[in-house]
Amino acid sequence: MESSKQKRCRSSVVETIEAPLPLVWSILRSFDKPQAYQRFVKSCTMRSGGGGGKGGEGKGSVRDVTLVSGFPADFSTERLEELDDESHVMVVSIIGGNHRLVNYKSKTKVVASPEDMAKKTVVVESYVVDVPEGTSEEDTIFFVDNIIRYNLTSLAKLTKKMMK
Amino acid sequence: MAEICYEVVTDACPSSVYESTPAHSRRRPRFQTVMHEDWEKNCKRSKQEALATRYSSIPRSSREDFSDQNVDVSSPRYGVSSVCGRRREMEDAVAIHPSFSSPKNSEFPQHYFGVYDGHGCSHVAARCRERLHKLVQEELSSDMEDEEEWKTTMERSFTRMDKEVVSWGDSVVTANCKCDLQTPACDSVGSTAVVSVITPDKIVVANCGDSRAVLCRNGKPVPLSTDHKPDRPDELDRIEGAGGRVIYWDCPRVLGVLAMSRAIGDNYLKPYVSCEPEVTITDRRDDDCLILASDGLWDVVSNETACSVARMCLRGGGRRQDNEDPAISDKACTEASVLLTKLALARNSSDNVSVVVIDLRR
């Protein structure tokens, strides 16, 4: 039996932020407040909080994200798959919404920069996603990389402002 | 009147509308969502009430003064309709300023009309509504501007407006919208701007984005603006020449994000998304009316249909009489704008809809 498997693609975005790791991680790890640094998020509502910890912190938490108008989607439903405060790793899957990012899963890892352990942080966001029908792999990667880069640029601006 | 309008609507052939609309310009249908509680503030009833108030507040004596001086040009007749529609929030704004030129540089009446369709949030469009006409007023040097001078005036005004919303975003944000200083979304807010200045002998249109101005002349549409879509060949060349990229996601989008190639604001997409307006200057003739509207209308209603509807409303009783009561054509313009808005909603427009109809009959 033939089965057509959707073509997938993957990529990573790396951003060095001029801020200490604890500050950067404290913003990134707040699963219930993506609008703090994600550029196209208008608001976020927690659908269910996973076991243990405050709302939005537990593995399995699900958030409903409302996106800004003019963006090629209105809303997105996302689940927290993993959150590790020791290795500073966060894994998020997109499980619904009226966008074209199907089977999207991203892993964000935060490490202190070798350049300056106390004052610089390196954020690495890697993802896999289906290539939407009618779109090339190249365009898909360009689009998603672009969104992530905008988010991390906003994160850099936010942490800079918070340190003043 | 209602009967005639109804016939106009039924005469419009939906398939011809879709044929005339490029497939890629139609937005992907969006899920319906619960209307924001602010919707009521923006419903057409309150808009019409505001319009009626504005009209009734014009002193009768000032009109008589105009007629006593035998000024050839009467004050403008216009109608406005602006509705939230199926979009969650109202991000359109409309500005109307009859006789807006300042006394120092105005010998003849010049009337300003603007439609601003915001995206990302409403505050850039709201700011345009408050400020852009003042910037145009400041840039005007005389009544007798020639073609090049009008273009310079409009280009400078739009550039100043763009700089204002960028720097203004750094200082304070209006209480009306939900952006606060912390959210990065402020940088990704923008607006279209289609502006028309009507003088005794010319129609000046400046457009930035995908709202549109259409002149109705002898019942036929004459486009006075061209939509700034990212896949327009010259726009595509400009964007790629600047190092940007247009990705077809659900429709052509700059960097896959924005569905228009020019806008006021959207600082994060500069220089790919430009705020430079395209300016057209058209001599007035025996014209019916001018229609300015956001893409909530034009995505689902063709220029031809819009012209037919507006013309029929304006000519409900035939050509305007010399002594026709101004209230009559104001009412006809309002009916035309309301009918066009209803038509757009009936055709499942998924956006805010704002329509201005200006009676140009002499």
Side-chain angles (χ1 to χ4, degrees), chain B residues 60-255:
Chain B
R60 172 65 57 177
S61 59
S62 72
R63 288 179 180 272
E64 289 166 358
D65 288 348
F66 264 84
S67 61
D68 287 348
Q69 295 171 17
N70 288 319
V71 174
D72 185 41
V73 180
S74 54
S75 57
R77 273 68 161 191
Y78 57 84
V80 184
S81 181
S82 195
V83 300
C84 193
R86 294 186 182 83
R87 178 63 71 80
R88 290 160 285 169
E89 295 179 18
M90 185 49 160
E91 291 171 341
D92 282 5
V94 175
I96 293 175
H97 296 279
S99 304
F100 87 114
S101 308
S102 62
K104 76 183 181 191
N105 61 13
S106 175
E107 190 179 339
F108 304 106
Q110 295 180 337
H111 313 300
Y112 180 101
F113 302 87
V115 169
Y116 316 107
D117 180 355
H119 52 263
C121 193
S122 59
H123 62 260
V124 169
R127 191 70 183 169
C128 288
R129 173 182 57 206
E130 293 160 14
R131 292 281 302 146
L132 185 48
H133 63 286
K134 291 173 183 168
L135 299 178
V136 173
Q137 188 182 78
E138 287 174 21
E139 292 291 333
L140 275 171
S141 56
S142 73
D143 280 339
M144 297 309 190
E145 296 212 339
D146 66 20
E147 192 148 318
E148 274 312 307
E149 284 172 338
W150 269 115
K151 293 194 175 184
T152 302
T153 293
M154 288 305 192
E155 284 166 6
R156 284 187 185 172
S157 307
F158 276 55
T159 301
R160 289 178 61 190
M161 187 73 245
D162 184 72
K163 285 186 164 67
E164 241 185 57
V165 300
V166 169
S167 63
W168 169 78
D170 288 339
S171 55
V172 68
V173 177
T174 171
N176 290 334
C177 68
K178 293 166 180 170
C179 298
D180 55 40
L181 285 172
Q182 290 302 314
T183 63
C186 257
D187 212 31
S188 45
V189 182
S191 179
T192 72
V194 62
V195 165
S196 179
V197 174
I198 299 180
T199 77
D201 60 347
K202 290 190 192 302
I203 303 162
V204 181
V205 168
N207 178 57
C208 179
D210 60 0
S211 296
R212 193 185 295 170
V214 175
L215 176 66
C216 185
R217 175 170 283 175
N218 298 322
K220 294 288 190 286
V222 180
L224 300 190
S225 68
T226 309
D227 298 358
H228 291 129
K229 300 291 190 183
D231 61 338
R232 206 177 90 177
D234 55 335
E235 289 294 277
L236 183 59
D237 286 346
R238 177 183 63 77
I239 292 163
E240 292 182 343
R245 193 155 151 189
V246 173
I247 288 176
Y248 194 99
W249 199 245
D250 52 336
C251 63
R253 290 180 178 264
V254 181
L255 305 192

Side-chain angles (χ1 to χ4, degrees), chain A residues 58-89:
Chain A
K59 181 174 174 178
S61 300
V62 175
R63 68 188 178 193
D64 285 310
V65 174
T66 301
L67 302 165
V68 299
S69 66
F71 192 69
D74 293 307
F75 64 94
S76 180
T77 306
E78 303 171 358
R79 180 171 57 221
L80 181 61
E81 305 287 356
E82 188 181 330
L83 183 67
D84 189 330
D85 284 304
E86 288 188 356
S87 59
H88 305 110
V89 169

Side-chain angles (χ1 to χ4, degrees), chain A residues 143-161:
Chain A
F143 173 71
V144 180
D145 279 9
N146 201 39
I147 301 302
I148 295 173
R149 198 168 293 114
Y150 276 129
N151 290 344
L152 296 183
T153 302
S154 296
L155 176 61
K157 287 182 184 176
L158 176 59
T159 52
K160 186 174 180 179
K161 192 177 295 187

